[in-house]
Every structure is written in structure tokens, then in C-alpha cells.
Amino acid sequence: MTSARRRAAPRPRAGTPVLAALAAVLCLAAAGCSGSAAGTDPADTVRIVLPEEPPTLEPCDASLTATGVVVRSNITQPLMERNPTTGALEPLLATSWVQTTPTTWTFHIREGVRFSDGTPFDAAAAASSINRAVNGSFGCNVDGYVFGDTELQVAAPDPTTLTVSTPEPDPILPLRVSFVEMVPTSTNAAGKVRVPIGTGPYRVASWDAGTRLNLERNPDYWGTPPAYAHAEYQWRSDSSVRAAMVVNGEADISTGLGPEDGAGDLAVSYPNNETTALRIQATEPPLNDVRVRQAIGLAIDRNGIISALLNGDGQPAAQLVPEGVIGHDPDLTPVGFDVDRARALVAAARADGVDTTTPIRLITRTGLFPRIEQVVQAIAYQLDLAGLNVQIQMMDTSEALTYQQRPFPANTGPILLVIQHGNQAGDAAFSMDQYLKSEGFQSSYGTPDFDREINAAEALTGDARQAALAKVFVDEPREIAQYAYIAHMRGILARSPSVDYTPNSATGDEMRLAEMTPRTTK
């Protein structure tokens, strides 16, 4: 899941005297941007500026972007982790795992690992972490996002053996378990914590709410110590200010940038796993007519939007997940941009009594991604050419989420909702359960037959799983048409010349500090 970024009206580019002055004022207001935490060596500190302050560092909410980008793989770690380049699930705190019965997986726990408070990590701690995050009752994000309503049976028969059982066979249970961050048994089991204890290469040194968050090397870390002794996080809501902080030497990494934010040669574009689409409220007229939904897909000029408004940083989308995710169909191509065909479909629906003059709200979160305002204006214009009556409605994050996640508001009328989905897990089942099933947490439409097709595909393994999941994406536009896919997106960050770091598809959700090293100058 991505966090929203609030953007203001067009502003001067980074590097101009006006913007530099603005950055300086903001630094003073926050007790100094360029200074590191008291007692730290600036040369041994990597400085990162984020779009927003983490609301919490609770590990069971690490699948939320604002939390996970700091916590995951830095402070806490899972039993295994997915390689963002190859997609392979690789050992971490578990050295191996095997399916011992149709409904049970057995994990072998790494020995010699300690938490940052000095207590040992073992199978009992792993079992406690899973029970807390998945079987707990205090609303962990990982529970709903990854496990749904599934209750797990977890046991630790000895310090190096963990067993996890499900009511029904689950061929990707290890992948799901990789979303659970390990915490000590002493962690509050009845509520969330603000600052966690983990097994990662860093621990929290200080957190000045509203100003900065500082991490330091974990002296009990079981792996290779990271290059930087300290990491300092700050946050600025204005993306051009974030870019200016790197350009002016006040930060080493800034995230969530747009092509117009002024990072210049320091900007790095990377695939970020996000797919942008319109979710169509197919239960409401005129959107309950499949011809109208198909017309919406035909009326969107994907190539034009990517080229003119996204600076070419994207690829036209024909499905919910990008390349690299199990279930992605590389042969599936977007519907063409054909306003005449779209207009004909709308006219045919009108001739059959569908009131195509009904106002349709086009809802999006303010700052969902750079230039979102211009993107929705372009889409509204194109849908107007197709004969539909579309009205743009910008919302802040909290209000927009009421339309994005169940339970949806009652009596909303016809809605087109701009969504942006990033599959962090690498398997399309996580996307389908949330966005395609008729009762999915972020789905507004579906059919029993289509649900059965998804369930059957998710029960398979290997090549059969890939083929069946891919067929779901082929069938969705034809049979359901809940989505008008727009683009597989790319992210942009600014990187100081003094830091070596290569972002990847996981960077937006999990920025691993251990992969950052000082750049040597020749």
C-alpha cells in the first residue's frame, strides 16, 4: 500500500534562490536540516528525507509505506524475504522451510540471533510474533492485507523448529509469513507499540516527534554490520523541498519526487511496482452497463498521459500487476485509445435506455502521485469526448480511503476511483484477493463465477499457477471490467553523489539501509 503525498501549486524549481531560501527557512524551523543527531558523526550518517513522518514504527503495520520504509529490514526482519530482482523467497531468520503436510509448513530457525535488547531470537519468539500479528485482535495491517480472515495454528516444539498450519492447504504460506516481522516475546500482545525491538542491523536511537528520527547500528546484529553507523530521517511534505535538500547537500536521499521537482542529475528513476487504474463502481448506473465500462477503457490515452504528464516514467497497463509478479501476463496488451469506438459503445447503451447523462464522480487522493491533478483533468476530458458526464472530486487521504476500502459509504452513486496498487509480495494472489474478488477489501464488484476462477488459480503451484493467474487477468476486462488500467508507474528519488545506493522495485516500501554505502572519490 502507498502513502499519499500532498502537493501544492506549481513552484520554483530546486536550486533557485527562492527555493533554496524556502528550504533554509524550513530547516531552521525544524532545528536544522543539515545537522545530524547530537553525538553522531555526520560523515558516518546517511540522511534521508521522506514525504511524511511515520505514524508509528509498529512492525505488524510494516506493509504500510510510511512505516515499512523505515522499519522493514532495518529495525526488524522476517523469517524470509523476497528478492526484489529475482522474485525468489530467500532465507533470513529461517534457514529453510518445507511443507510437511497439506496444511502445515515447518520452518527451521537460524541459531545465534539476538534482538537489539540482547534477548535471544528462537522459535518461541517467531511463534509469538506470528500469533500477535495474525491471530491478534488489535487490527494489524498485515493481518487483513496478507492473511484475510485466516486463523493460523502456530507451534514451537523446540528452539529451532516452528510449525504453521492453515485450515486449508496454502501453497504460498511461506510468502505470506514473510510479511510478519519478528519481535521479542516481551512485545505487547494486546496493542501496538510505537518503537519496536528487532533483529535488524539498526535500532532506534531517538525520535523527536515532528522533527527527526535517528537510528544507530545494532551492536547485537547477527549479520555483517552496515556501512553507516547512523541513519537520520526527516520529512517534508513539499516534494521540491525534498529534492532541494539533496541538491543543496542537506540530505543524502529524498523519496517521492516528480520529474519537475528539480533534482536534476541527482534524480534516479526506478520501477516501483505501482499500477495506476480507475476502479469503476460497476453496481451503479450507468456504470452497471458493461459497454459503458469498456468505453471508459477505450477513451483513455495512456501513451499521451505517460508521455506528457509522467515524463515518460511509466508503461501502459493492461492488468493490475507489473512484470516480475507471478501471474503477470507478458502477452496481454492494453486496449487501444479509440474515442470513436468508446463514443459508439456509450451511444449504444443510451439507445437501450441507459441514462448516460448521469453525473459520474471521478475521485482521487490529493497528491497520490506527481501531477495527479493534471492526469485526472486529462481523463475527465477524454471521457467527456466519449459522451459521459464526469466531475472531478479531489479528497484528502482519510476521506478518499472511505471510498477505497470496505465498508464503502452508502448511496454514493456512480464513481470512478483512481487507485494505485503496489504488489510487494510478488504473487498476484495478494492483488486478486484485495482488488478482484467480489468481497475483496478494496474491490467494489465481482461475480461468484469469477471468484471461483480466482480461488481455483490460487490453489495451484508452479507453472500451472502462473498460467491460471494470468488467465484471470485476461478474463477480467472481458467478463468483469471493474478496472480501466492506466500505467505501471516508476518512482523517482534524489541521491547524493556521496552515497552509493541502487533503488529497486521494493524501495518505495522497504528502503534497506544496509544496501547504502559511502561513495569513494578518485
Side-chain angles (χ1 to χ4, degrees):
M1 297 178 63
T2 52
S3 296
R5 302 183 292 272
R6 185 174 300 277
R7 292 180 52 78
R11 59 191 74 82
R13 291 184 177 272
T16 66
V18 173
L19 191 51
L22 174 59
V25 170
L26 290 172
C27 291
L28 290 172
C33 289
S34 58
S36 295
T40 66
D41 179 1
D44 205 13
T45 301
V46 61
R47 303 161 301 166
I48 299 170
V49 57
L50 304 172
E52 59 186 323
E53 181 175 11
T56 176
L57 299 182
E58 166 56 56
C60 75
D61 285 345
S63 53
L64 295 172
T65 298
T67 295
V69 74
V70 175
V71 171
R72 199 169 160 86
S73 295
N74 296 325
I75 302 171
T76 61
Q77 297 175 307
L79 293 180
M80 62 286 294
E81 60 185 0
R82 177 177 174 266
N83 185 308
T85 302
T86 67
L89 200 58
E90 298 176 343
L92 195 62
L93 297 182
T95 58
S96 63
W97 50 93
V98 63
Q99 191 171 12
T100 45
T101 76
T103 58
T104 299
W105 289 79
T106 298
F107 301 82
H108 298 287
I109 301 303
R110 187 180 298 276
E111 298 183 70
V113 176
R114 289 186 174 274
F115 290 100
S116 61
D117 65 353
T119 59
F121 167 74
D122 56 15
S128 173
S129 299
I130 295 172
N131 273 320
R132 178 180 182 272
V134 181
N135 295 335
S137 59
F138 55 92
C140 284
N141 181 266
V142 70
D143 184 15
Y145 175 64
V146 178
F147 292 93
D149 296 328
T150 302
E151 287 287 319
L152 303 180
Q153 296 295 321
V154 187
D158 62 62
T160 61
T161 305
L162 172 76
T163 63
V164 182
S165 301
T166 53
E168 301 293 333
D170 186 348
I172 61 167
L173 182 65
L175 183 58
R176 298 187 198 276
V177 171
S178 74
F179 275 80
V180 180
E181 302 292 293
M182 297 294 109
V183 294
T185 56
S186 58
T187 305
N188 186 358
K192 297 183 180 181
V193 298
R194 183 172 183 264
V195 176
I197 302 236
T199 62
Y202 290 89
R203 64 185 182 185
V204 176
S206 63
W207 188 357
D208 300 324
T211 303
R212 57 166 54 90
L213 168 66
N214 293 287
L215 307 186
E216 63 185 5
R217 280 196 196 116
N218 172 10
D220 290 310
Y221 182 50
W222 59 274
T224 303
Y228 286 103
H230 305 275
E232 176 188 276
Y233 294 92
Q234 297 186 67
W235 33 89
R236 299 290 183 271
S237 60
D238 191 305
S239 56
S240 62
V241 171
R242 294 196 300 275
M245 289 175 69
V246 176
V247 171
N248 296 334
E250 296 159 347
D252 299 307
I253 302 282
S254 63
T255 65
L257 304 183
E260 78 282 11
D261 284 325
D265 294 340
L266 302 184
V268 180
S269 174
Y270 61 95
N272 67 0
N273 262 342
E274 300 284 358
T275 300
T276 298
L278 296 184
R279 193 187 73 194
I280 305 171
Q281 191 75 29
T283 57
E284 297 288 332
L287 302 178
N288 60 348
D289 191 296
V290 70
R291 293 169 294 187
V292 174
R293 301 200 299 275
Q294 291 170 342
I296 291 170
L298 288 165
I300 297 174
D301 182 3
R302 295 163 181 79
N303 287 310
I305 288 172
I306 292 169
S307 175
L309 300 178
L310 302 181
N311 201 40
D313 282 323
Q315 178 182 356
Q319 55 200 298
L320 195 57
V321 299
E323 184 179 1
V325 175
I326 295 172
H328 172 83
D329 186 343
D331 298 322
L332 191 59
T333 57
V335 297
F337 173 46
D338 192 338
V339 174
D340 289 339
R341 175 62 179 152
R343 189 181 295 113
L345 286 171
V346 172
R350 186 185 306 115
D352 289 339
V354 177
D355 185 2
T356 58
T357 66
T358 301
I360 300 170
R361 287 193 290 165
L362 174 55
I363 295 176
T364 188
R365 291 197 329 233
T366 301
L368 180 62
F369 55 82
R371 295 187 178 174
I372 178 62
E373 293 88 351
Q374 293 93 326
V375 169
V376 293
Q377 288 168 6
I379 291 173
Y381 173 74
Q382 291 161 359
L383 296 182
D384 179 71
L385 293 179
L388 297 174
N389 180 10
V390 175
Q391 302 173 355
I392 296 172
Q393 189 169 2
M394 307 294 294
M395 296 182 177
D396 63 22
T397 300
S398 60
E399 185 179 7
L401 284 176
T402 65
Y403 291 88
Q404 184 173 335
Q405 301 173 347
R406 291 181 181 273
F408 304 127
N411 305 315
T412 60
I415 288 172
L416 302 176
L417 179 70
V418 182
I419 62 107
Q420 194 172 46
H421 169 58
N423 187 305
Q424 305 169 33
D427 190 287
F430 294 91
S431 302
M432 292 177 179
D433 288 352
Q434 286 270 314
Y435 288 86
L436 297 185
K437 285 186 177 178
S438 55
E439 296 300 321
F441 186 50
Q442 300 189 64
S443 171
S444 62
Y445 183 63
T447 67
D449 286 345
F450 196 57
D451 288 350
R452 283 190 286 270
E453 179 180 351
I454 294 172
N455 290 335
E458 293 178 353
L460 302 174
T461 60
D463 292 343
R465 180 184 187 85
Q466 164 62 33
L469 291 173
K471 186 176 183 299
V472 170
F473 287 128
V474 172
D475 292 342
E476 195 280 332
R478 182 173 59 244
E479 298 178 11
I480 305 298
Q482 179 181 184
Y483 293 94
Y485 304 105
I486 300 171
H488 300 306
M489 309 288 281
R490 293 182 65 87
I492 299 176
L493 59 75
R495 180 186 59 202
S496 166
S498 66
V499 174
D500 262 328
Y501 173 65
T502 302
N504 54 50
S505 60
T507 293
D509 305 297
E510 179 180 345
M511 193 185 311
R512 299 177 186 178
L513 297 172
E515 296 177 354
M516 300 178 184
T517 59
R519 177 172 294 172
T520 57
T521 57
K522 296 182 180 180

